[in-house]
Amino acid sequence: MMSQGVPARAEALGARLRELSRSARMGNSALRAHVETAQKTGVFQLKDRGLTEFPSELQKLTSNLRTIDLSNNKIDSLPPQLIGKFTLLKSLSLNNNKLTVLPDELCNLKKLETLSLNNNHLRELPSTFGQLSALKTLSLSGNQLGALPPQLCSLRHLDVVDLSKNQIRSILDTVGDLQAIELNLNQNQISQISVKISCCPRLKVLRLEENCLELSMLPQSILSDSQICLLAVEGNLFEIKKLRELEGYDKYMERFTATKKKFA
């Protein structure tokens, strides 16, 4: 029985290797086709392909790509020698990969406006992250950040920041310099927020749903002395009706209602 089993297993293994070789050839030809298309369009999109590495073939497209989307793959690192060379890149999406760190060279992308890194394993951002001077939208939902990165506060054109589903426990005084219009901190572990959040000059939308906030830890100045006109705090350690009893809530509602009318 064993002598018959060994050839059968060998044949099965051979068939599997031939299949892998065939799919690798198909994968390479598909990659070549995508590279050729991207040369004409400036857009390179290769999602759901099981890629484990950032494609080195993009080396030849550094001077004409405006969009790269490699979401839903298994990429665990970005090549430092290549990633900073995409001088025209405006949008980079690497959602649902396995990134643990970002190289400093990423911060050389002076035209980058949208960066989406949801559902990776990032614990921090490079110290040079503030050099991404054109960045408008940053999505870091579903990572392992333990704090709001202070580097974000030097990005003057930042509009939307999504830090939901991380491991943030407190918001420190540095938040007062954040230029964002919308800040999403839903589903963290936040129990403390600096009163400086009321000083954010452009902050209109603050999302704090499903955190660990006691009502006494929510700065009252958010209601009375900020620009915030949409405050989402459901799912914390207090009832929403208690929020309505706080001093300054009427001022907040004036801003909320005025904004709602504007967009009606």
Side-chain angles (χ1 to χ4, degrees):
M1 290 292 290
M2 284 181 66
S3 60
Q4 289 175 345
V6 171
R9 284 201 299 274
E11 176 57 33
L13 181 60
R16 177 69 181 136
L17 289 172
R18 285 193 295 276
E19 182 190 325
L20 286 171
S21 172
R22 193 161 56 246
S23 75
R25 286 197 301 275
M26 285 170 64
N28 286 339
S29 67
L31 185 55
R32 276 198 301 275
H34 277 80
V35 168
E36 285 168 18
T37 302
Q39 274 177 320
K40 300 167 193 163
T41 63
V43 176
F44 184 85
Q45 188 177 79
L46 201 60
K47 303 194 287 187
D48 301 292
R49 294 301 178 97
L51 296 178
T52 55
E53 295 180 344
F54 189 92
S56 58
E57 289 83 353
L58 297 190
Q59 176 81 50
K60 62 184 81 166
L61 300 178
T62 52
S63 59
N64 61 336
L65 280 187
R66 293 185 307 281
T67 299
I68 295 176
D69 190 348
L70 291 165
S71 296
N72 306 328
N73 282 292
K74 298 175 182 177
I75 299 166
D76 60 8
S77 64
L78 299 178
Q81 70 283 4
L82 175 56
I83 195 63
K85 292 182 178 175
F86 295 96
T87 51
L88 298 181
L89 198 66
K90 289 194 168 187
S91 176
L92 175 60
S93 297
L94 287 153
N95 300 319
N96 300 301
N97 275 282
K98 299 191 172 188
L99 297 172
T100 54
V101 293
L102 300 174
D104 285 340
E105 288 79 1
L106 176 72
C107 307
N108 295 336
L109 303 177
K110 300 300 182 196
K111 298 203 171 182
L112 193 68
E113 294 179 2
T114 301
L115 179 58
S116 294
L117 298 164
N118 298 325
N119 302 317
N120 279 278
H121 307 295
L122 298 169
R123 294 179 180 273
E124 59 184 4
L125 299 181
S127 59
T128 51
F129 200 80
Q131 293 174 13
L132 291 171
S133 52
L135 200 63
K136 292 179 180 177
T137 302
L138 175 63
S139 299
L140 286 162
S141 180
N143 279 279
Q144 296 169 20
L145 298 171
L148 189 149
Q151 302 93 309
L152 304 188
C153 297
S154 52
L155 296 170
R156 311 324 281 175
H157 300 290
L158 201 55
D159 290 335
V160 178
V161 182
D162 186 354
L163 298 172
S164 61
K165 300 180 184 175
N166 276 276
Q167 297 167 12
I168 300 170
R169 294 177 180 274
S170 60
I171 304 299
L172 304 178
D173 287 352
T174 48
V175 73
D177 293 321
L178 188 70
Q179 297 291 316
I181 296 169
E182 177 172 343
L183 176 60
N184 187 342
L185 293 163
N186 289 346
Q187 292 179 272
N188 278 278
Q189 299 157 26
I190 297 166
S191 59
Q192 288 187 308
I193 301 179
S194 167
V195 69
K196 297 279 187 186
I197 200 163
S198 309
C199 303
C200 293
R202 300 169 70 219
L203 190 61
K204 296 281 201 295
V205 178
L206 177 58
R207 302 186 186 280
L208 286 162
E209 294 179 340
E210 296 181 51
N211 276 282
C212 305
L213 281 167
E214 302 271 1
L215 189 57
S216 59
M217 291 289 104
L218 189 71
Q220 202 169 303
S221 55
I222 288 178
L223 300 174
S224 57
D225 297 312
S226 77
Q227 303 289 317
I228 295 165
C229 51
L230 176 58
L231 176 64
V233 288
E234 287 80 3
N236 280 278
L237 306 179
F238 59 86
E239 296 175 44
I240 293 297
K241 66 179 182 183
K242 296 287 186 188
L243 179 70
R244 297 177 193 135
E245 295 167 8
L246 288 183
E247 192 177 334
Y249 188 79
D250 53 342
K251 284 189 176 180
Y252 161 68
M253 282 309 295
E254 283 172 21
R255 296 193 302 274
F256 176 81
T257 306
T259 304
K260 204 171 174 184
K261 278 181 184 168
K262 195 192 296 183
F263 293 103

